[in-house]
Amino acid sequence: MGPLFPLDREVGFGDGPDDSADVFASLLPVALIERLDRHRRRLCALLLDTAPQGWLRQLHDELAAFRQMVFMRPDETLFYLTYVSAHDPSMYSATHAMTCVAIGDLVGQWCRWTHDEITAISAAAVTMNLGMTALQDQLAVRSQGLNADERQTIDAHADTSRRLLLDAGVEDPLWLEVVERHHERQAVSRLRDAPAARRLSEVLRRVDIYSAKLSRRRHRQATSSAIAARDTFLTDSGAPDEIGAGLLRVIGLYPPGSWVSLANGDIGIVIRRGCKAHLPIVASVRRSDGGLYHNPQCRDTADSRFAIVRGLRGGDARVTVEPHKMLACYLQPAVF
């Protein structure tokens, strides 16, 4: 199979004939979470077994439907993925792949990459770990370390993934090269001037590391989003390079789904990106006295009363929430 479907073919793929821009835009939080859950389960099955006839077509269809969700509902999609990554290690490979696709798509749109480049990084993001999918899922839920065979599988997974894609009928050279090089550090001084394969590979390498840091394992909590951003987007001087700046601009220092502590003592979860990378909209769930709000309170952190004091790891918040109730705050005005 040749290049990925053009954009007009992508719009409309999904769960049925009623998929459209209006349907995506009008989805209420419960339905949106359910739809993202279905994407996660279907993608998990596809990544675990590339052998069935028609696998590549099924992957194209699933990826197109999910990318439409990212395009129409980016904040809610990021919220779901960040929250699930930090709290549920099951189906790790699918969650990680979806997160990398979402961020890669958003970066490509912001950088004004060509359609072919954006679809290539999305396709590479979802398939870069095909060569170790089952092992990744096992490692996320177990505490013991790697044996020699598992280490070899990990070391060879980029080449293995490329071979599996070739066997499945992929012919797109950019997709294949980005998969093969996604762990190689690329010297990219000016992003827009770099060859496409090097540029996309380096962005995907950073996104891959960042997403992994946000993910919980059985033996450790997820890293806070601020620490993950510092470790992935900033140079040794403490300032972001061009790629880091682009990633911060697109997803923020505190992306939707990450936990934060506010100046008024509240603990909350980010539900929407804000006007600046460090100024998101937050749903406060715990008061300064330790009590829980009956309903989450929407806070605009651009207001100094609700400024973010620090980012938190998911386990440090010590609060269990229903994601759809947090996203319902998205439909309400922030408190000023």
Side-chain angles (χ1 to χ4, degrees):
M1 186 174 291
L4 293 176
F5 299 135
L7 186 59
D8 59 350
R9 287 289 306 279
E10 291 176 358
V11 174
F13 272 114
D15 297 323
D18 63 340
D19 274 327
S20 66
D22 289 341
V23 171
F24 277 105
S26 63
L27 279 176
L28 293 176
V30 171
L32 188 145
I33 295 293
E34 290 175 349
R35 183 171 292 219
L36 287 167
D37 276 336
R38 290 197 297 274
H39 281 307
R40 185 169 171 242
R41 290 192 299 270
R42 289 196 295 249
L43 191 57
C44 180
L46 285 167
L47 295 179
L48 283 169
D49 186 3
T50 63
Q53 185 175 7
W55 175 84
L56 188 56
R57 170 70 62 167
Q58 293 176 52
L59 180 69
H60 279 160
D61 291 358
E62 187 60 38
L63 180 58
F66 174 65
R67 289 181 62 207
Q68 180 73 343
M69 180 73 80
V70 174
F71 181 76
M72 295 300 301
R73 304 291 287 267
D75 287 287
E76 296 99 320
T77 302
L78 289 172
F79 174 95
Y80 170 87
L81 293 169
T82 304
Y83 182 83
V84 169
S85 295
H87 294 274
D88 181 7
S90 68
M91 294 188 284
Y92 168 81
S93 291
T95 309
H96 180 73
M98 291 168 70
T99 303
C100 293
V101 169
I103 298 175
D105 243 36
L106 294 171
V107 169
Q109 293 170 29
W110 184 73
C111 292
R112 297 178 182 244
W113 290 348
T114 68
H115 171 265
D116 288 346
E117 290 171 347
I118 297 174
T119 52
I121 196 172
S122 298
V126 81
T127 57
M128 62 184 172
N129 294 323
L130 279 179
M132 60 173 187
T133 297
L135 177 58
Q136 271 195 320
D137 287 349
Q138 294 167 18
L139 293 175
V141 296
R142 83 182 199 197
S143 54
Q144 64 266 37
L146 296 169
N147 60 40
D149 289 342
E150 290 169 340
R151 171 53 65 187
Q152 185 176 10
T153 296
I154 292 174
D155 290 344
H157 82 273
D159 289 336
T160 306
S161 298
R162 182 179 184 276
R163 177 177 54 77
L164 288 170
L165 290 171
L166 285 169
D167 291 345
V170 173
E171 299 174 358
D172 187 302
L174 185 56
W175 176 359
L176 293 168
E177 186 172 357
V178 174
V179 166
E180 187 174 27
R181 303 177 68 171
H182 77 274
H183 275 301
E184 300 175 9
R185 185 185 293 271
Q186 306 292 326
V188 180
S189 57
R190 282 180 54 83
L191 194 59
R192 69 184 62 184
D193 296 334
R198 288 177 53 193
R199 174 167 26 98
L200 272 59
S201 298
E202 180 60 17
V203 170
L204 185 54
R205 185 185 72 83
R206 302 275 194 97
V207 171
D208 185 16
I209 295 170
Y210 175 76
S211 177
K213 287 179 177 292
L214 293 182
S215 301
R216 177 190 167 199
R217 307 289 198 280
R218 181 175 179 179
H219 63 280
R220 68 162 174 82
Q221 288 192 53
T223 304
S224 75
S225 59
I227 298 299
R230 182 200 67 188
D231 293 347
T232 313
F233 303 157
L234 304 186
T235 64
D236 293 339
S237 68
D241 59 8
E242 187 177 359
I243 291 177
L247 288 165
L248 284 171
R249 174 64 180 81
V250 165
I251 60 177
L253 185 60
Y254 309 100
S258 56
W259 290 93
V260 292
S261 175
L262 305 184
N264 70 335
D266 281 0
I267 288 176
I269 189 167
V270 177
I271 56 172
R272 195 188 320 178
R273 294 166 296 169
C275 58
K276 294 184 178 180
H278 64 295
L279 299 175
I281 304 300
V282 170
S284 286
V285 296
R286 185 184 291 279
R287 303 188 304 265
S288 59
D289 62 5
L292 299 177
Y293 288 109
H294 180 68
N295 292 308
Q297 303 296 301
C298 198
R299 310 296 198 195
D300 185 346
T301 62
D303 185 327
S304 61
R305 294 175 298 166
F306 309 121
I308 293 176
V309 175
R310 63 188 179 99
L312 301 174
R313 298 181 300 176
D316 294 337
R318 297 181 181 178
V319 180
T320 300
V321 300
E322 296 181 76
H324 69 276
K325 290 186 178 180
M326 300 302 104
L327 288 180
C329 288
Y330 189 89
L331 307 176
Q332 304 168 7
V335 174
F336 289 95

